[in-house]
Amino acid sequence: MARRNSLGELEQLTLMAIMRLRPLAYGMTVRSEVQTRTGRQLSLGAIYATLDRLNRKGMTRSAEGPAVPERGGRARRFFEITDEGLAALQEAITASDRMREGLEGLKRPEGVTI
Amino acid sequence: MSHHDLDLSSTAKWISRLVPASHRASFLGDLIEEARKDVLPEQGETAAQRWVLTQLLWSLPAMLTGGTINRRIATWLLGTSSLGFLGGSIAVAGWRAVGLRHSLESEVSFFGNLKLLWLSIPHTAVLMLPLACAVAGSVVALRFKNAVPLVAFRRPLLAMATVSIAVQVFALSWMPGSNAALVDLMEKGTRAAGVVNVAVEGQPPVLPANPRTARLTVLMERVRTSDRGSWVYRVFSWEIHKRLSLAIGGAVALLFGFSVGTRFGGLAVTTVLLLLPPVFFWLTGTGNWLAIDRTTPAWLAAQGTNAVLGVLAMTFLATVSASRGAKGLRPR
């Protein structure tokens, strides 16, 4: 049975993107980061839905920046991972690593460390 | 134009009202920012606006459902029933927006005036003409849909009377290492099994032992490996046809909803058109049905002629209706 605060795959990717982009993690950059690193095509709406879900779970918090003229006067909403989010992400990665142990056919790409 | 001038088109602004208010400003800001940065410099304003609109539409299902509907499912839904519901909602919304929806009182009054139908034959004729136009129009639209946009799929809609020429496939098993496949099917109520030779996956199978069925065109999707080690395929050409049919049907319904939008006429036509595809597929079954390929030049010519004649007839009826109406053929 899944834990209440278990993370889905996209949630994990989103949290890691937020950590990488800190302190400039907002919808557009998160989406770009996930797409660049995973090669997946994601709609911005999917990223926003995930960010909203993470916020509600308490794994991220967000704050609105100043209005930006290049965005038609609209502000950016910046996201930051919380301690709870960090713990959940660590737990998910650890579980994945444990499942992978001993499976010869599933090796990490070269040069990739977590 | 300066790159700083890009903002949402009126269409995008209208659609963006569906985005949850809590995210709307930052979400739209992100879209604008990315379009300005990545699309506008290389492809120009039109492409940038189109990109924003596309992203907005693709994002809506996820944003409205909290991400539980992904792109693949959204694609499916857009092609099937949800478009009908969406179309109906938009039609009703448009109905209200353009002020064609009258109060309940006036509708009751309209029904009260129906007794006048018996008093004036010319008036009755004038009233019946738009109805005839609507019926003819829907027939033309459905025939056009099968003759032109769906022709690439070679799946004309089969009327109930011609269902007997369809083949229900229960199983189509691939034989690894050969170009043969085992097909288990029912044709005209008779269960039969046989071996088909398939040259390339997804290409039309050839049934040399049965010239009548050699013209089957099949699109297959590999579903699973059977216990015997052979691949089992699901025929989904009919599904594609259904999705396209419903999508186009929804669009046609929308057009009718707006263009024939007078009192009950437009609403009735819209409702009927929205209901037609589901009812049709409920009646004929939505399983793995194969239609015998009827897309011959003669068939295409007949469909084209029907469509042209239908359009001409509709134009004629509409013209007559308008001219009669202008002459004031109304009961005194």
Side-chain angles (χ1 to χ4, degrees), chain B residues 31-32 50 56 116 167 183 296-297:
Chain B
L31 281 184
I32 291 291
R50 194 167 53 237
L56 183 56
L116 294 175
V167 177
V183 62
T296 60

Side-chain angles (χ1 to χ4, degrees), chain B residues 110-147:
Chain B
F110 174 75
F111 265 122
N113 288 333
L114 288 180
K115 63 185 180 186
L116 294 175
L117 289 176
W118 302 105
L119 304 178
S120 167
I121 293 176
H123 180 235
T124 304
V126 170
L127 283 179
M128 289 298 112
L129 278 173
L131 181 61
C133 287
V135 172
S138 64
V139 171
V140 169
L142 290 173
R143 284 186 176 172
F144 177 80
K145 175 190 68 175
N146 288 329

Side-chain angles (χ1 to χ4, degrees), chain B residues 1-325:
Chain B
M1 167 182 175
S2 158
H3 290 177
H4 293 274
D5 293 339
L6 182 69
D7 203 349
L8 295 175
S9 64
S10 54
T11 307
K13 278 180 184 167
W14 189 83
I15 295 174
S16 70
R17 292 175 188 171
L18 296 171
V19 176
S22 54
H23 307 310
R24 196 177 301 149
S26 55
F27 171 77
L28 296 176
D30 282 357
L31 281 184
I32 291 291
E33 185 179 352
E34 190 165 352
R36 267 193 66 253
K37 188 176 126 207
D38 296 336
V39 186
L40 185 62
E42 292 180 2
Q43 301 179 43
E45 187 196 359
T46 305
Q49 294 288 7
R50 194 167 53 237
W51 182 88
V52 168
L53 193 57
T54 307
Q55 291 293 320
L56 183 56
L57 287 172
W58 275 122
S59 294
L60 278 179
M63 297 196 77
L64 294 176
T65 60
T68 53
I69 293 184
N70 62 26
R71 177 177 296 200
R72 180 173 293 184
I73 298 175
T75 306
W76 172 269
L77 289 176
L78 281 175
T80 52
S81 56
S82 66
L83 185 68
F85 290 117
L86 181 67
S89 304
I90 295 175
V92 172
W95 201 268
R96 290 173 174 163
V98 295
L100 291 173
R101 192 179 188 206
H102 295 253
S103 67
L104 180 62
E105 186 181 344
S106 66
E107 302 289 13
V108 171
S109 167
F110 174 75
F111 265 122
N113 288 333
L114 288 180
K115 63 185 180 186
L116 294 175
L117 289 176
W118 302 105
L119 304 178
S120 167
I121 293 176
H123 180 235
T124 304
V126 170
L127 283 179
M128 289 298 112
L129 278 173
L131 181 61
C133 287
V135 172
S138 64
V139 171
V140 169
L142 290 173
R143 284 186 176 172
F144 177 80
K145 175 190 68 175
N146 288 329
V148 183
L150 292 184
V151 75
F153 293 90
R154 298 185 168 194
R155 286 291 170 275
L157 286 172
L158 297 174
M160 281 297 288
T162 57
V163 159
S164 60
I165 67 169
V167 177
Q168 187 175 13
V169 173
F170 294 100
L172 192 61
S173 305
W174 194 273
M175 295 182 178
S178 77
N179 64 346
L182 189 67
V183 62
D184 178 10
L185 53 81
M186 177 178 279
E187 185 178 3
K188 292 189 177 180
T190 304
R191 190 81 178 261
V195 174
V196 296
N197 292 315
V198 184
V200 183
E201 181 178 337
Q203 294 297 308
V206 180
L207 304 175
N210 187 346
R212 186 178 48 165
T213 52
R215 293 169 62 205
L216 286 175
T217 302
V218 191
L219 295 171
M220 291 178 291
E221 180 183 54
R222 197 165 61 194
V223 178
R224 62 184 171 84
T225 305
S226 74
D227 297 333
R228 294 169 298 183
S230 56
W231 295 109
V232 175
Y233 284 77
R234 183 169 70 95
V235 178
F236 70 108
S237 57
W238 187 250
E239 299 291 329
I240 293 175
H241 184 275
K242 182 177 72 173
R243 275 186 273 171
L244 282 170
S245 178
L246 289 180
I248 295 172
V252 170
L254 272 181
L255 288 176
F256 268 89
F258 284 114
S259 61
V260 198
T262 53
R263 288 185 176 270
F264 289 103
L267 187 58
V269 172
T270 303
T271 307
V272 168
L273 283 174
L274 285 174
L275 288 177
L276 265 181
V279 169
F280 173 82
F281 287 108
W282 179 73
L283 287 173
T284 57
T286 58
N288 296 335
W289 289 91
L290 286 180
I292 290 179
D293 186 359
R294 299 169 63 214
T295 311
T296 60
W299 179 83
L300 280 178
Q303 289 292 308
T305 307
N306 277 341
V308 170
L309 288 177
V311 169
L312 288 176
M314 189 176 161
T315 307
F316 173 75
L317 288 171
T319 307
V320 171
S321 172
S323 62
R324 292 287 183 189

Side-chain angles (χ1 to χ4, degrees), chain A residues 14-104:
Chain A
T14 303
L15 283 177
M16 285 188 264
I18 290 173
M19 292 176 71
R20 286 183 174 279
L21 293 165
R22 197 163 38 189
L24 294 173
Y26 58 100
M28 188 193 95
T29 55
V30 169
R31 174 191 184 223
S32 174
E33 184 74 9
V34 173
Q35 281 193 172
T36 305
R37 291 191 170 271
T38 66
R40 292 188 189 180
Q41 293 293 313
L42 295 165
S43 71
L44 189 59
I47 293 294
Y48 262 85
T50 307
L51 289 169
D52 184 46
R53 204 161 52 245
L54 289 170
N55 252 14
R56 278 189 275 110
K57 285 181 177 178
M59 296 184 182
T60 57
R61 53 175 165 262
S62 64
E64 205 164 86
V68 182
E70 292 81 7
R71 296 162 57 89
R74 298 174 182 88
R76 294 183 178 117
R77 178 165 287 279
F78 294 100
F79 290 83
E80 191 177 8
I81 190 167
T82 61
D83 291 342
E84 191 177 344
L86 193 59
L89 182 59
Q90 185 62 59
E91 189 178 332
I93 292 171
T94 304
S96 173
D97 281 348
R98 283 180 183 154
M99 288 301 294
R100 192 165 46 204
E101 273 177 12
L103 297 177
E104 292 299 322

